[in-house]
Amino acid sequence: FYIKQSFIDGNGKSTSRTIRKLGTLNELLVEHGPTRDDVMAWAKEQARIETEKYELEKENLSIPVVFHPNRKIPHGERRCFDGGYLFLQMVYYELGMDRICRKIRNSHHYEYDLNAILSDLIYTRVLEPGSKRSSYAAAKKFLEPPTYEQHDIYRALSVLASECDLIQSEVYKNSKAVINRNDHILYYDCTNYYFEIEQEEGDKKYGKSKEHRPNPIIQMGLFTDGDGIPLAFSTFPGNQNEQTSLKPLEQKVIEEFGCEKFIFCSDSGLGSENNRLLNHTGNRAYIVTQSIKKLGAEYREAALNRKGFRRLSDNRLVDLEQLDENDYDELFYKEEPYSTKKLENRLLITYSPKYAAYQKEIRTKQVERALHMLKDGNHKKTSKNPNDPARFIDKAAVTKDGEKADILYFLDKSKIAEEERYDGLYAVCTDLFDDNPADLLKVSEGRWQIEACFRIMKTDFEARPVYVRREDRIQAHFLICFLSLLFYRLLEKKLGGTYTCCEILDTLRSFQFADIQGQGFMPVYEVTALTDRLHELLGFATDYEFLTKSRMKTIEKLSKQR
């Protein structure tokens, strides 16, 4: 009979060691018999005692460390390591990305570790975004540094690009086992990314940049579910009309993802009649914003008519002219029929006193700037900016007794009055005629989530400018950005939406560990409620004064469990 202890050795392998030899059965029967069961009961009690002793020793364990103040650190010896990727690694393996990489390997021939490359590219895009070369350098600072070479990354990008559709559909299907996907509502929007080049090349075309840059751009269409979690994306040339990007991506979502019943929601720029018609068939419907200014004259005047509005909270008729300060935070709506060439629509017009006051305040400041422009003689308009104060400045030619005409610039109060008519108004167009207006408006208001996704990708993950040139590697770059966003949003959802993007990213990026003379690691990050929550969610803790190498290996192993 022996008492043994199982443990993970320094190489991460499971093994065991003998703690105490109890004796043979014949020897133990003499003192602890008379039966074998009596011996087993005694042996188990001894094992319990040894376990208590071990736990007590572990609690009081101290590791002496000797430092030499006169000994210099050797060149090239790394002593600080990043560990924030461990929390993203948990999400990576939960989504079965390693299985997807094995599936890809079956149809390609390569020697490098695609799983290691893809995971590191995702982690570094979240934690330390940059070029692929800088991502490789950043991954070297991880507790588990790369075992591949830098040139393997570029070869892997071509493989990832060729399997882009497969990866998206597989990740979506796997994610449904991790969380409940709200795929009955799909938000769609487009943005573009610039390249620091001066000539068009491939899909990099001159187009209308969202950032008003003169560089060639490439465009991205993105679907998210009703909770703002990315679902699918596509890229298309920078000079292509973004409205035509919807149909091929939506077809892929229907056929490859199995999403057949959903409500399509987008802004008015992507809510063309053809795109509405596309989602007016089968089990699909649409809710899109509608520009009141672009309505036909008859529908526009009906929308601007301040009669017939109801308070959304109690559905009571109200007179917008009789509102007081108690109605400041209320929302009011009315419905109007709206027919186009191919569709009968339901038009919801809303009015918000709070939004009206905001628009009035902004315009008042713009009018003040317009008056300063008149005073300074600066009347130039910025055509790319619809909020340019110069739009309120008009001019007229004035003559005196047949003399040469003088150009007179003045503040056009009629334009100001015309804009005031639209203050506080917002319209939504849908083919859902029986649904509650409050539910429809709530879906439409959720579009901010996809806009937040684009902001995170561009600002926090630095998806642009794009540093790769070849078309396939550009596609792989955006796939990595898409997956990084998906991983982040899933982690954010696990945290319950109680922390801001900056708080989560700053915390993940702060997880650093100092190597103490090769014996183990000392955490050098600030322990907070968020670090506690991350440890609680993912089933391991790193906030001890000292972590032995074997303990860190166990944590690394736990982060790869599903």
Side-chain angles (χ1 to χ4, degrees):
F1 285 81
Y2 298 88
I3 296 176
K4 291 200 169 190
Q5 178 194 30
S6 298
F7 66 99
I8 305 296
D9 65 15
N11 297 318
K13 294 183 178 179
S14 179
T15 184
S16 63
R17 56 173 162 246
T18 300
I19 300 298
R20 181 175 157 196
K21 181 180 178 181
L22 299 178
T24 65
L25 177 61
N26 289 334
E27 292 170 347
L28 297 175
L29 282 173
V30 176
E31 188 174 351
H32 305 291
T35 66
R36 187 179 187 280
D37 289 341
D38 295 325
V39 172
M40 284 294 295
W42 173 83
K44 288 181 179 180
E45 176 62 17
Q46 297 305 303
R48 186 190 64 78
I49 294 171
E50 291 294 338
T51 301
E52 286 185 354
K53 180 181 176 182
Y54 168 76
E55 293 293 341
L56 184 62
E57 290 175 351
K58 189 168 68 170
E59 286 181 8
N60 299 319
L61 176 68
S62 61
I63 298 176
V65 179
V66 178
F67 291 98
H68 300 277
N70 297 321
R71 182 180 297 175
K72 289 189 174 182
I73 299 172
H75 283 204
E77 182 178 296
R78 185 177 297 281
R79 295 200 169 190
C80 191
F81 296 86
D82 295 337
Y85 76 94
L86 292 169
F87 303 95
L88 297 169
Q89 188 159 265
M90 177 69 81
V91 181
Y92 184 92
Y93 281 89
E94 270 189 338
L95 291 174
M97 296 299 298
D98 55 327
R99 297 199 304 267
I100 296 173
C101 288
R102 285 198 296 271
K103 183 180 289 189
I104 292 173
R105 187 179 184 86
N106 293 334
S107 54
H108 294 270
H109 301 285
Y110 50 79
E111 298 298 325
Y112 49 79
D113 187 344
L114 181 66
N115 183 57
I117 294 172
L118 177 58
S119 59
D120 282 349
L121 287 175
I122 293 171
Y123 305 155
T124 53
R125 178 57 53 183
V126 176
L127 301 174
E128 195 173 333
S131 65
K132 302 301 173 284
R133 181 178 180 180
S134 63
S135 295
Y136 179 69
K140 284 186 174 181
K141 296 184 289 185
F142 289 168
L143 289 163
E144 301 169 275
T147 56
Y148 53 85
E149 299 298 328
Q150 181 178 314
H151 60 80
D152 292 328
I153 296 176
Y154 296 97
R155 294 186 174 93
L157 292 178
S158 299
V159 173
L160 292 171
S162 66
E163 300 292 349
C164 183
D165 290 347
L166 169 71
I167 293 172
Q168 289 183 66
S169 61
E170 289 292 312
V171 167
Y172 165 72
K173 292 169 186 174
N174 293 349
S175 70
K176 299 186 78 172
V178 177
I179 60 166
N180 292 321
R181 296 297 298 261
N182 182 12
D183 51 15
H184 298 301
I185 299 169
L186 298 188
Y187 294 107
Y188 184 72
D189 205 351
C190 293
T191 192
N192 48 54
Y193 302 85
Y194 70 90
F195 293 74
E196 290 188 333
I197 57 176
E198 297 180 355
Q199 294 183 337
E200 294 183 332
E201 182 182 17
D203 284 347
K204 303 182 284 293
K205 301 290 187 181
Y206 288 112
K208 188 176 181 181
S209 170
K210 304 284 186 182
E211 301 164 64
H212 308 300
R213 290 180 175 269
N215 312 76
I217 58 174
I218 195 166
Q219 303 193 74
M220 171 191 278
L222 176 68
F223 266 117
T224 71
D225 65 17
D227 294 324
I229 298 177
L231 187 126
F233 84 98
S234 66
T235 58
F236 52 97
N239 60 355
Q240 180 180 319
N241 185 339
E242 64 181 15
Q243 291 185 6
T244 61
S245 67
L246 172 65
K247 186 174 182 179
L249 183 57
E250 184 171 318
Q251 199 66 32
K252 180 172 73 174
V253 168
I254 293 171
E255 294 176 357
E256 299 180 20
F257 288 42
C259 295
E260 297 180 346
K261 184 178 181 180
F262 57 83
I263 297 171
F264 167 79
C265 187
S266 75
D267 60 20
S268 56
L270 288 159
S272 65
E273 187 170 30
N274 286 336
N275 285 345
R276 296 179 195 181
L277 197 62
L278 175 67
N279 288 287
H280 186 61
T281 58
N283 294 319
R284 305 194 299 278
Y286 63 83
I287 301 173
V288 298
T289 61
Q290 173 64 53
S291 170
I292 297 176
K293 292 181 180 180
K294 292 182 179 180
L295 289 170
E298 178 184 352
Y299 295 115
R300 184 170 62 251
E301 290 304 315
L304 292 173
N305 189 332
R306 300 173 74 83
K307 303 293 184 182
F309 279 87
R310 294 178 178 272
R311 185 183 286 108
L312 188 65
S313 58
D314 58 15
N315 208 39
R316 293 181 61 182
L317 278 169
V318 296
D319 184 350
L320 295 186
E321 303 297 339
Q322 302 296 322
L323 300 181
D324 56 31
E325 62 273 8
N326 295 324
D327 298 310
Y328 185 74
D329 292 318
E330 293 283 353
L331 185 66
F332 306 90
Y333 80 96
K334 69 176 179 178
E335 297 187 39
E336 296 287 347
Y338 174 44
S339 300
T340 61
K341 292 180 180 179
K342 301 176 182 178
L343 286 170
E344 290 291 331
N345 301 271
R346 180 185 183 187
L347 188 64
L348 290 173
I349 303 101
T350 68
Y351 175 77
S352 167
K354 186 176 183 178
Y355 183 43
Y358 167 77
Q359 289 180 302
K360 183 177 181 179
E361 181 183 359
I362 295 297
R363 188 175 52 257
T364 299
K365 293 179 181 178
Q366 291 173 346
V367 170
E368 290 174 359
R369 290 169 59 195
L371 290 171
H372 283 298
M373 293 170 71
L374 285 170
K375 183 179 179 181
D376 297 339
N378 177 17
H379 315 122
K380 186 177 179 181
K381 295 184 179 181
T382 306
S383 58
K384 292 182 179 180
N385 188 354
N387 295 316
D388 185 0
R391 72 187 187 279
F392 295 130
I393 298 175
D394 207 348
K395 63 182 178 179
V398 179
T399 60
K400 296 180 180 179
D401 300 327
E403 295 179 1
K404 183 179 179 181
D406 293 328
I407 303 299
L408 176 65
Y409 291 91
F410 61 95
L411 188 69
D412 191 340
K413 294 184 178 180
S414 64
K415 289 183 179 178
I416 299 174
E418 178 62 21
E419 284 201 12
E420 285 178 345
R421 298 181 68 197
Y422 295 88
D423 284 357
L425 294 173
Y426 178 85
V428 171
C429 187
T430 181
D431 61 346
L432 295 168
F433 291 93
D434 299 325
D435 288 58
N436 188 296
D439 295 334
L440 298 174
L441 295 173
K442 184 177 180 180
V443 171
S444 182
E445 289 169 2
R447 287 188 306 103
W448 67 268
Q449 296 176 104
I450 194 168
E451 294 168 0
C453 286
F454 285 142
R455 180 193 59 76
I456 292 170
M457 272 201 291
K458 288 187 173 185
T459 304
D460 298 296
F461 296 170
E462 298 181 16
R464 86 283 187 259
V466 184
Y467 294 107
V468 287
R469 179 179 176 181
R470 282 175 34 176
E471 296 296 319
D472 56 346
R473 292 174 180 177
I474 292 171
Q475 179 75 359
H477 166 76
F478 287 115
L479 172 64
I480 291 162
C481 292
F482 167 82
L483 292 172
S484 302
L485 178 66
L486 172 64
F487 284 23
Y488 166 76
R489 294 293 266 183
L490 288 173
L491 184 59
E492 186 181 57
K493 187 173 178 65
K494 285 174 177 286
L495 290 168
T498 54
Y499 298 95
T500 67
C501 179
C502 288
E503 288 173 332
I504 295 172
L505 292 179
D506 287 347
T507 298
L508 290 177
R509 291 166 181 174
S510 72
F511 270 93
Q512 292 190 319
F513 300 86
D515 187 334
I516 308 300
Q517 296 185 353
Q519 296 187 55
F521 300 92
M522 181 177 71
V524 290
Y525 60 85
E526 181 183 358
V527 177
T528 64
L530 179 51
T531 62
D532 289 345
R533 181 67 179 136
L534 285 168
H535 287 138
E536 178 187 342
L537 274 176
L538 303 181
F540 56 80
T542 62
D543 52 354
Y544 295 98
E545 287 188 356
F546 187 80
L547 297 162
T548 62
K549 282 204 165 184
S550 61
R551 190 172 200 172
M552 186 60 83
K553 288 289 184 183
T554 301
I555 290 172
E556 292 166 3
K557 185 176 180 181
L558 286 171
S559 71
K560 297 176 184 178
Q561 291 181 350
R562 295 184 183 88

